[in-house]
């Protein structure tokens, strides 16, 4: 769930074509728009649900799929027990169901391979979703832009897109993955078992051949504030840091 203000854009009906479990609390929903649209990696959409009594609930979700993925878009939705929209998706929604959607929205937190790099991505929990769109876009374009992702999660089983990210890392084509697990020991030699800090940001930047041209940070309010400050303290100019904040 995002705290981004909704932008004016026409609503349309989308159909759930596939559902895929990602972690115990995150599930991907693949949606087929009635009016397909182009979008950039990092953009989001608004989803609206309408109850039988007319009450409407609306939430913003980042697009996880790459722009090259075709007409179907992927939303990776985390279950929030006190939410109005995510419980519907996790407990009720089924393939073939229809919901309302509008977008794409957002023009600040976006990246295309033509923008160049190197690129430093920092994600916390479900904040990795728009960063995943950028990573998939890079892979689809066979881009040579060097990218490092620092992904913080509580435990190994909560690393969203874990197998896909590790596979991309293992290609050794210029994408580097660093995991920071905050509630259990790291599983890979180069990963961390602590919260993000300045030293971690400094070490992560050493994985790039040059200082990052852009840094994208996405996660909860507290995570983004801490990660952005760590980047600044590690020497990244604030003007190069773009942030996206989710929830509270």
């Amino acid at each position: 769930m995002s705290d981004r203000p909704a932008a004016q854009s026409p609503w349309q009906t989308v159909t759930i074509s596939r559902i895929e479990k990602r972690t115990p609390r995150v599930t991907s929903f693949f949606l087929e728009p009635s009016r397909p649209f182009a979008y950039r990696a990092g953009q989001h959409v608004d989803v609206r649900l309408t109850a039988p009594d007319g009450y409407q609930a609306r939430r913003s979700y980042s697009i996880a799929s790459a722009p090259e993925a075709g007409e179907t878009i992927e939303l990776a939705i985390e279950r929030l027990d006190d939410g109005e929209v995510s419980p519907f998706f996790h407990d009720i929604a089924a393939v073939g169901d229809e919901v309302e959607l509008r977008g794409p929205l957002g023009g600040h937190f976006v990246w295309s391979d033509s923008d160049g790099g190197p690129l430093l991505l920092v994600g916390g929990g479900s904040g990795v979703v728009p960063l995943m769109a950028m990573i998939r876009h890079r892979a689809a374009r066979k881009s040579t832009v060097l990218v490092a992702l620092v992904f913080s999660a509580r435990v190994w089983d909560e690393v969203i897109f874990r197998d896909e990210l590790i596979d991309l890392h293992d290609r050794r084509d210029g994408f580097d993955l660093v995991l920071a697990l905050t509630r259990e020991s790291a599983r890979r030699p180069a990963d961390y078992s602590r919260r993000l800090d300045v030293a971690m940001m400094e070490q992560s930047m050493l994985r790039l051949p040059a200082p990052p041209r852009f840094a994208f940070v996405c996660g909860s309010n507290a995570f983004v504030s801490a990660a952005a400050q760590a980047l600044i303290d590690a020497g990244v100019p604030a003007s190069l840091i773009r942030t996206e904040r989710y929830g509270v």
Side-chain angles (χ1 to χ4, degrees), residues 162-201:
R162 185 186 66 205
D163 293 344
E164 182 178 354
L165 286 168
I166 291 175
D167 177 67
L168 290 169
H169 170 90
D170 289 344
R171 295 181 187 181
R172 311 309 303 170
D173 68 351
F175 169 71
D176 202 70
L177 170 67
V178 180
L179 298 177
L181 303 182
T182 62
R183 296 190 182 179
E184 69 177 30
S185 299
R187 302 284 186 94
R188 305 188 311 156
D191 290 342
Y192 299 94
S193 301
R194 66 178 194 267
R195 296 183 183 277
L196 269 66
D197 54 32
V198 178
M200 192 184 300
M201 294 296 96

Side-chain angles (χ1 to χ4, degrees), residues 2-53:
S2 171
D3 61 354
R4 292 164 295 207
Q8 294 302 313
S9 180
W11 292 96
Q12 64 165 301
T13 299
V14 297
T15 303
I16 300 174
S17 61
R18 182 159 63 95
I19 300 174
E20 183 176 344
K21 194 78 169 176
R22 295 294 185 183
T23 73
R25 297 189 64 83
V26 177
T27 298
S28 283
F29 296 84
F30 295 82
L31 309 177
E32 295 183 0
S34 54
R35 299 191 303 274
F37 53 86
Y39 58 91
R40 297 186 66 191
Q43 287 190 294
H44 62 279
V45 296
D46 283 349
V47 173
R48 183 171 69 184
L49 304 178
T50 303
D53 63 1

Side-chain angles (χ1 to χ4, degrees), residues 109-122:
F109 199 84
V110 296
W111 179 79
S112 299
D113 72 308
S114 58
D115 296 331
L119 203 62
L120 180 59
L121 309 177
V122 184

